Amino acid sequence: MDYAQFIQQQIEAIRNTVGEALAINALSGGVDSAVVTVLGYRALGDRLKTFFVDNALMRHGEPESVVGTFAEMGIPVELIDARLEFLDALRGLHDPEEKRQAITETFYRKVFARLVQQTGAKFLLHGTILTDIEETVAGIKRQHNILSQLGIDPEKQYGYKVIEPLQTLRKDDVRQVARTLGLPPQVVSRIPFPGPALAARIVGEVTPQRLETVRAATAIVEEELADSGAFQYLAVLLGDKATGIRDGKREYGQIIVVRCIHSTDARTATIVELPWEKLHRICQRITAIPGVNRCLYDLTPKPPATVEYV
Ligand code: XMP
């Protein structure tokens, strides 16, 4: 594949479709939305308004660091604080599909619809890739960013048209496009992080306190496994509790699962055989998080498991 040619074609296609209108897009910091942001900015300049939506589900320090990275590239990104809206929408929900649905609705119907209205934008640029479409259509999982493929007409329902410049690419191609665009290495090779963010890693209800627990575990896993060379590594908070002992007393505590996988495009995955020493260290650090008294390493490949738990 000729990546430079792909970039040129997409820039022209965005220009032709948007014409003199305005477009908006949401940057999550992942490689897909980062590539779309740069393509859109090169096509439209300041007729593209890029937003980072803080949905309360991001990792430690993520909103600020993503906005900072793009500021260094000369691309302005506005930070939107939508934390309460998302937490409200997720309150009381336990079912994985209902949680994903609540996130989709809050993103597209509430936050983006409002941003479209405020900016007067007619288009939304989207980082949907081929694997997202295939898995959603196959009924494996509703990716939060799929709309038209599920029969949702965003123009009718939300008031804007969606442009998806990456819909023919898989993750490895997106990384090549990112490299060709000159994006910094921390963006090009950033491990995948799901659109529903930490909500995909909390089994059961998403609450501020449970988010804090999984966020702390995520920071430990990402720090410890940064040099693992793995495709993806993550921490999950289970819905069950387990009996343990802390300070000589019985404690009914939280359970964190650690996952570290090899993959090329996330359609299938195998488990990384981490050294025991590394696993012990991760376990020790994770069980030092308040309220967490068990840490498990998940040995299940995809299939039969998926990468995320929700
Ligand atoms: P699963 O859990 O489906 O994950 O095996 C496959 C890959 O996709 C990521 N993932 C998502 N990415 N929106 C995204 O943009 C989503 O809703 C979503 N769900 C999962 C996941 O992290 C893995 O890399």
Side-chain angles (χ1 to χ4, degrees), residues 6-267:
F6 174 86
I7 290 168
Q8 215 38 53
Q9 281 167 349
Q10 293 309 318
I11 289 176
E12 276 163 31
I14 294 169
R15 260 188 213 137
N16 289 338
T17 309
V18 175
E20 293 305 308
L22 283 183
I24 64 170
N25 80 312
L27 173 67
S28 68
V31 66
D32 306 341
S33 68
V35 165
V36 166
T37 300
V38 178
L39 290 176
Y41 192 74
R42 292 207 186 156
L44 306 172
D46 56 14
R47 282 188 297 118
L48 176 72
K49 305 279 174 227
T50 299
F51 298 95
F52 183 102
V53 178
D54 185 351
N55 54 14
L57 310 173
M58 307 311 289
R59 288 167 291 185
H60 185 69
E62 196 160 24
E64 298 73 21
S65 90
V66 172
V67 173
T69 302
F70 276 77
E72 277 170 30
M73 290 192 286
I75 301 180
V77 178
E78 192 178 327
L79 184 59
I80 302 290
D81 182 359
R83 288 177 293 179
L84 289 180
E85 262 171 292
F86 280 89
L87 290 172
D88 275 352
L90 286 163
R91 188 173 300 125
L93 300 185
H94 293 257
D95 179 77
E97 288 298 304
E98 283 180 16
K99 283 158 66 179
R100 283 178 170 258
Q101 172 80 17
I103 293 169
T104 303
E105 290 282 319
T106 309
F107 255 116
Y108 295 103
R109 200 184 292 284
K110 293 180 82 180
V111 178
F112 287 154
R114 191 164 64 230
L115 292 173
V116 164
Q117 217 178 22
Q118 282 168 4
T119 56
K122 294 270 179 290
F123 296 91
L124 174 69
L125 292 181
H126 232 192
T128 320
I129 66 170
L130 186 57
T131 317
D132 299 341
I133 297 171
E134 285 173 344
E135 293 206 335
T136 302
V137 172
I140 294 169
K141 186 185 290 183
R142 179 201 174 89
Q143 302 282 350
H144 87 287
N145 51 359
I146 299 292
L147 301 171
S148 59
Q149 292 82 357
L150 285 174
I152 299 173
D153 179 345
E155 199 176 8
K156 240 192 233 148
Q157 297 194 18
Y158 305 146
Y160 50 75
K161 286 196 180 117
V162 173
I163 304 175
E164 295 175 321
L166 310 182
Q167 61 173 306
T168 58
L169 304 188
R170 294 194 190 283
K171 201 64 136 195
D172 35 353
D173 281 326
V174 179
R175 289 196 202 283
Q176 289 297 345
V177 173
R179 212 166 273 129
T180 312
L181 283 170
L183 279 158
Q186 74 269 23
V187 177
V188 174
S189 46
R190 195 171 100 136
I191 56 166
F193 187 62
L198 295 177
R201 297 179 179 172
I202 293 179
V203 179
E205 190 180 4
V206 176
T207 64
Q209 198 182 9
R210 303 191 81 215
L211 275 165
E212 206 173 301
T213 303
V214 81
R215 189 176 285 124
T218 301
I220 293 168
V221 168
E222 291 194 352
E223 193 185 308
E224 292 287 343
L225 299 180
D227 62 357
S228 64
F231 175 83
Q232 196 170 2
Y233 31 86
L234 50 124
V236 177
L237 174 61
L238 293 189
D240 280 339
K241 287 186 163 185
T243 301
I245 311 162
R246 197 178 303 266
D247 303 325
K249 284 203 193 91
R250 178 191 154 95
E251 175 194 63
Y252 201 43
Q254 314 257 34
I255 310 167
I256 292 282
V257 172
V258 175
R259 198 149 167 64
C260 181
I261 59 163
H262 288 303
S263 182
T264 47
D265 58 12
R267 280 185 299 170

